Amino acid sequence: MSQLSSPLAEAGTGRPFSRLLTVVAAMAVIGTMVGATLPAQASTRRAAAAPAAPAASLSFSQAKAEGKVGSINWGSRCNVPTGTLKYPSFFAAACYAPFTGNNGGTTTQGVTASTIKVVYYVPQSNDPILNYIESAIKDTATNAQNIQTMQDWVTFYNHFFETYGRKVVLVPYTATGVSDDPVSARADAVTIATDIKPFAVWGGPILTTSFADELAARHVLCIDCGSGDTNSYFQQRSPYVWSLGMLPQQSIVHVTEFLKKQVNGKDATFAGESDFTKQKRKFGMIDLVNGADSATLLTDWKKGFTSAGINVAQYVTYASPTDLQTQAPALIAKLKAAGVTSVIFSGDPIAPQTLTRAATAQNYFPEWIVSGSALTDTAAFGRTYDQRQWAHAFGVSFGAARTGVTGAIPLYEWYFGHKPPDLTGAAVSVIDDALFYAVLQGVGPDLTAQNFQKALFAGAPTPHAITQPSLSYGNHGIWAGTDYGGVDDATEVWWNPSISGPDELGRSGAGLYEYVDGGKRYLPGQWPTETTKAFQKSGAVALYATPPAAERTPTYPSPAQSGT
């Protein structure tokens, strides 16, 4: 397999939603998975040798290296001069040589000579947890609209990607319980594995690992199907369970490095209280802790801060955003009493609504440090926070600088000639397709979960870009040990309540994140040692009118208009 084509590239109107929420969520990161190598300077660690991709797949880059490009009929879906598929995305996936011959027929459960069965998990339409978060951003799409949008994406990917004589057949499955019910989640997994018998499952309940655990035990591959947080969790369930976003333990590495190099030991100049701006920063942390895994992550935060020489004067925790309706005032009071000038937030995207209102009610205006957690670094949610507080927010984002002219929704409209049934789903649910098909090309005809992992690990990291995160899996010298998370790099953002524009769902309004240095991204170990440039308008970008020159989108005739 050559490079990954990034599933973070096609989705969204710019900022792919970072990862499934730790507590509540309905969205995820999206993009294409592309093939260009990272610059040699991108990593200071020595990369372990990547496993070889399974045989019988031939990428354009491999054909070029072997001098075979001219002898292969690449077909109408390939742009031969660039070696990428002919759809309008700078991050369009690599071409693979068209397959002919015997694909081996049934290679594993859910795979035949002509089909690959995939279950698409759909939450209950009346799930109170998802309804709670979706109400905050006024998402009114129905399950039927979401399913149709996902079926359409499968049509798109079946058309462009090499699937070795097979086509993905999508089977929607509606959950029998709510997102935090481990009993119904496990029962759903059993039903899917024993009755439907798919090769893979896309999606799952967001507040329990039972669904993914059961699927892995029954040897069914699943992508984005649970709430596993640690690298060891995925390693123990290898090769069946896969995450798309950065794992929380990895995000801690980025945030502590950023704070150590650019924020710690300096005055709290961005606070809303004049007294704070003349004081050295005193950190406090608000963290979501609702179980053993999240408690372990809090311990990891503390270890990371200690290792980086960062003193956190006060930690406060909460178990659910609904609890904050009564608990927020007390939590804020603790931070204020401790003299905290700079609040590090790590939790769900609903909680800051209540927390910031509580802070304002107590006439407490600290700096708010964004840790890239669960959609808090999106305009869609940033606008729902008390703007008197969030005007002092800055920090790390694992999303990417936004551009209003590329992404999943324009791509959908280009291919189908009309708007998607589910606008939100078009931007975010396609992430599972993108990863699956990108790896499918690299696997070749012998499709198994083991070969899926080999191909995924063999793929080079996606391009180190501005408008999309870079992804990799396996051992590429970026992280210590084998990496089971997706996103690797990060950028710095700050909240500007005074500018207007579309949020990630295309809705106009006031308030956007500004991306420092135009959204320049850093791998772990690469953050520069300098004072943060947060709230410096010079060099910051909230929304690119057109993508950066190096990431311009190619143009192709719309199949909808040409009738092809």
Side-chain angles (χ1 to χ4, degrees):
M1 186 176 181
S2 63
Q3 277 154 338
L4 293 176
S5 97
S6 162
L8 302 174
E10 291 155 6
T13 48
R15 192 282 189 211
F17 296 118
S18 63
R19 63 183 296 272
L20 285 181
L21 303 187
T22 307
V23 181
V24 281
M27 302 180 196
V29 191
I30 170 61
T32 59
M33 301 196 67
V34 141
T37 55
L38 286 172
Q41 70 271 22
S43 175
T44 57
R45 287 198 185 97
R46 184 182 182 88
S57 63
L58 182 63
S59 69
F60 189 92
S61 59
Q62 183 180 352
K64 185 175 181 179
E66 296 175 4
K68 297 179 180 178
V69 170
S71 63
I72 295 172
N73 180 1
W74 295 93
S76 60
R77 61 188 176 183
C78 180
N79 182 339
V80 176
T82 64
T84 57
L85 296 175
K86 293 172 67 174
Y87 55 83
S89 171
F90 171 76
F91 300 92
C95 301
Y96 273 70
F99 176 78
T100 59
N102 185 350
N103 63 12
T106 299
T107 57
T108 190
Q109 175 180 286
V111 179
T112 70
S114 59
T115 62
I116 303 165
K117 187 185 294 184
V118 174
V119 164
Y120 177 48
Y121 178 96
V122 182
Q124 290 184 327
S125 60
N126 60 347
D127 187 322
I129 298 169
L130 296 184
N131 288 344
Y132 181 55
I133 185 173
E134 290 168 358
S135 66
I137 57 173
K138 298 178 174 61
D139 181 12
T140 59
T142 65
N143 276 355
Q145 290 171 318
N146 179 260
I147 291 169
Q148 183 57 57
T149 301
M150 184 61 92
Q151 293 280 15
D152 290 344
W153 276 125
V154 168
T155 298
F156 170 89
Y157 280 100
N158 276 338
H159 173 76
F160 280 103
F161 281 63
E162 179 53 55
T163 53
Y164 305 96
R166 304 181 178 103
K167 296 295 183 184
V168 170
V169 175
L170 198 68
V171 181
Y173 180 90
T174 301
T176 62
V178 297
S179 299
D180 64 347
D181 181 1
V183 176
S184 63
R186 191 174 298 278
D188 286 342
V190 171
T191 298
I192 290 169
T194 59
D195 295 349
I196 303 176
K197 295 181 169 41
F199 169 69
V201 177
W202 297 343
I206 60 174
L207 295 178
T208 174
T209 62
S210 296
F211 185 75
D213 295 345
E214 190 65 33
L215 289 175
R218 294 173 181 272
H219 299 173
V220 177
L221 187 143
C222 66
I223 297 174
D224 218 8
C225 60
S227 57
D229 286 327
T230 64
N231 208 57
S232 61
Y233 172 87
F234 293 96
Q235 187 174 21
Q236 291 164 11
R237 290 153 184 80
S238 170
Y240 299 105
V241 182
W242 297 98
S243 172
L244 286 149
M246 181 175 292
L247 300 182
Q249 290 172 323
Q250 297 171 335
S251 70
I252 292 171
V253 172
H254 271 292
V255 174
T256 53
E257 182 185 350
F258 164 73
L259 292 176
K260 175 183 179 180
K261 291 182 174 180
Q262 300 194 13
V263 179
N264 189 38
K266 300 177 175 62
D267 290 349
T269 53
F270 310 132
E273 294 187 32
S274 59
D275 289 347
F276 285 169
T277 63
K278 303 178 184 66
Q279 298 178 24
K280 295 296 181 187
R281 288 186 172 98
K282 179 182 280 190
F283 296 103
M285 185 174 198
I286 302 174
D287 192 29
L288 170 67
V289 178
N290 62 354
D293 286 347
S294 52
T296 297
L297 289 173
L298 178 56
T299 299
D300 290 339
W301 275 113
K302 292 179 178 180
K303 289 179 180 177
F305 289 140
T306 299
S307 178
I310 298 168
N311 179 47
V312 177
Q314 180 70 59
Y315 289 92
V316 296
T317 65
Y318 70 100
S320 165
T322 57
D323 295 342
L324 292 176
Q325 302 299 322
T326 57
Q327 295 177 0
L331 299 185
I332 292 297
K334 284 185 178 180
L335 296 169
K336 184 177 181 179
V340 169
T341 67
S342 310
V343 179
I344 304 165
F345 177 78
S346 176
D348 69 273
I350 301 296
Q353 295 178 19
T354 311
L355 291 165
T356 54
R357 289 195 297 268
T360 297
Q362 296 183 35
N363 200 31
Y364 174 55
F365 294 91
E367 297 177 326
W368 290 86
I369 297 177
V370 178
S371 68
S373 63
L375 311 184
T376 55
D377 54 353
T378 64
F381 282 95
R383 291 174 180 174
T384 69
Y385 308 152
D386 188 316
Q387 296 301 286
R388 291 166 291 182
Q389 296 287 336
W390 218 242
H392 309 285
F394 71 102
V396 173
S397 172
F398 304 113
R402 298 176 54 215
T403 170
V405 296
T406 61
I409 294 173
L411 183 61
Y412 181 102
E413 293 174 353
W414 170 82
Y415 187 77
F416 293 102
H418 58 80
K419 292 186 180 299
D422 177 5
L423 195 68
T424 305
V428 299
S429 59
V430 60
I431 182 171
D432 301 329
D433 311 47
L435 176 66
F436 186 78
Y437 278 90
V439 180
L440 198 61
Q441 288 202 129
V443 170
D446 188 13
L447 180 58
T448 64
Q450 290 73 20
N451 283 342
F452 188 94
Q453 175 174 279
K454 288 179 183 178
L456 188 56
F457 283 1
T462 66
H464 197 54
I466 293 293
T467 60
Q468 295 301 331
S470 179
L471 285 79
S472 70
Y473 294 84
N475 295 279
H476 295 283
I478 299 172
W479 303 100
T482 302
D483 176 20
Y484 288 86
V487 176
D488 294 323
D489 55 2
T491 189
E492 183 185 0
V493 297
W494 54 275
W495 182 254
N496 187 342
S498 302
I499 59 173
S500 297
D503 67 10
E504 292 78 10
L505 302 178
R507 301 171 304 184
S508 295
L512 293 170
Y513 277 103
E514 300 260 16
Y515 294 83
V516 170
D517 286 336
K520 185 175 181 179
R521 304 185 65 77
Y522 302 98
L523 290 167
Q526 290 185 344
W527 286 90
T529 301
E530 61 186 19
T531 301
T532 172
K533 296 178 183 177
F535 301 99
Q536 292 183 17
K537 188 62 180 174
S538 176
V541 173
L543 189 68
Y544 280 99
T546 58
E551 300 174 25
R552 294 286 166 84
T553 301
T555 58
Y556 300 108
S558 167
Q561 295 176 357
S562 63
T564 59

